Amino acid sequence: MTQYQRVLLKLSGEVFGGGHVGVDPDVVSKIAHDVAEVVHSGVQVAVVTGGGNFFRGAELQQRGMDRVRADYMGMLGIVMNCLALQDFLEKLGIETRVQTAITMGQVAEPYVPRRAIRHMEKGRVVIFGAGMGMPFFSTDTVAVQRALESRCDAVFFAKSGVDGVYSADPRKDPSATKYDHITFDEAISKGLAVVDQTAFTLCAENELPMVVFGMEPEGNIPRVLKGERIGTLVDAG
């Protein structure tokens, strides 16, 4: 096991909705229990969520909406997920701060990297909301950027329906093989779509380790964040 001191967990918006539009309280409660277990073990935790359970800018654009406005709507959806996770974490006695890239002082703090670091040093979970605060950026990219600015040891991408990085899409190619460990250079040369390309490039350039793992079975989040080797580790080698 590798003991991490500070980690960033990226969760997709679809996870929060349990496959449906909106927030599924039972799902969010389970995520909160998993994160709380990690905090109690002494690991500092930050979280970035997606907003796909409410809005996806690119999809709304295909239906005729202006992409910039659609992306801002997506950012607001992300904040709703953040507040839901904050609520369930605080019900478990875990102090939590939501920081947003778009100022909304009545519900969250503004994004300030040094303040986020200080919160984590005090054992608080920091949830970064509203994406990058600008259109055209995916939450994968936001996760890596926030992990770098808050000096995390690694960034973790929790996936539904897949348990790591494969040589091809395992849902389409039954012969696809899973990698337990792969370097950034190997992943680039093989053209593997690990995460959003910008996010992947940021990790590679800054030698930030990335772990891609599956949400299933239950309990995977605390296992991997506490250092157990599951999923796929992508690093500089």
Side-chain angles (χ1 to χ4, degrees):
M1 289 181 64
T2 301
Q3 183 60 54
Y4 299 103
Q5 180 180 359
R6 183 181 301 151
V7 299
L8 187 140
L9 172 65
K10 166 59 169 54
L11 297 165
S12 70
E14 287 82 359
V15 169
F16 280 74
H20 304 285
V21 175
V23 170
D24 184 329
D26 294 333
V27 173
V28 183
S29 178
K30 288 178 182 177
I31 293 171
H33 276 85
D34 284 346
V35 173
E37 182 179 333
V38 179
V39 173
H40 287 313
S41 75
V43 179
Q44 299 172 20
V45 181
V47 180
V48 165
T49 77
N53 53 321
F54 290 109
F55 308 103
R56 279 187 173 276
E59 292 177 4
L60 291 174
Q61 181 187 32
Q62 292 172 0
R63 301 290 297 273
M65 284 195 69
D66 175 75
R67 174 62 186 271
V68 172
R69 189 166 292 115
D71 275 357
Y72 279 116
M73 289 172 64
M75 294 175 211
L76 298 178
I78 292 169
V79 175
M80 288 192 278
N81 287 336
C82 294
L83 295 177
L85 181 56
Q86 180 184 38
D87 186 69
F88 279 98
L89 280 168
E90 294 195 338
K91 281 180 169 63
L92 297 174
I94 302 297
E95 283 199 63
T96 309
R97 296 291 187 272
V98 175
Q99 290 196 349
T100 58
I102 298 173
T103 303
M104 43 186 76
Q106 289 175 293
V107 297
E109 297 179 356
Y111 171 57
V112 180
R114 291 181 65 86
R115 183 183 293 173
I117 291 170
R118 187 67 181 134
H119 285 321
M120 286 187 277
E121 288 174 343
K122 292 182 177 179
R124 299 166 183 154
V125 172
V126 180
I127 309 172
F128 297 115
M132 195 77 77
M134 298 176 287
F136 305 108
F137 285 92
S138 77
T139 49
D140 282 352
T141 300
V142 175
V144 175
Q145 193 276 338
R146 297 296 190 251
L148 288 168
E149 269 206 290
S150 57
R151 301 173 190 166
C152 291
D153 300 322
V155 58
F156 294 80
F157 287 86
K159 300 289 186 180
S160 291
V162 63
D163 61 350
V165 180
Y166 283 76
S167 56
D169 188 339
R171 290 167 290 196
K172 299 177 181 178
D173 184 354
S175 66
T177 57
K178 179 189 169 190
Y179 298 102
D180 292 324
H181 174 241
I182 190 169
T183 67
F184 291 121
D185 288 342
E186 290 171 332
I188 291 171
S189 66
K190 294 177 187 293
L192 302 179
V194 183
V195 292
D196 174 83
Q197 191 62 46
T198 305
F200 189 70
T201 302
L202 268 176
C203 271
E205 289 178 349
N206 293 279
E207 297 186 357
L208 176 68
M210 172 195 302
V211 179
V212 181
F213 70 101
M215 292 282 290
E216 303 80 17
E218 193 171 324
N220 264 5
I221 289 177
R223 287 171 61 201
V224 71
L225 293 191
K226 288 191 285 186
E228 190 171 332
R229 285 294 297 273
I230 59 176
T232 303
L233 171 66
V234 190
D235 62 14

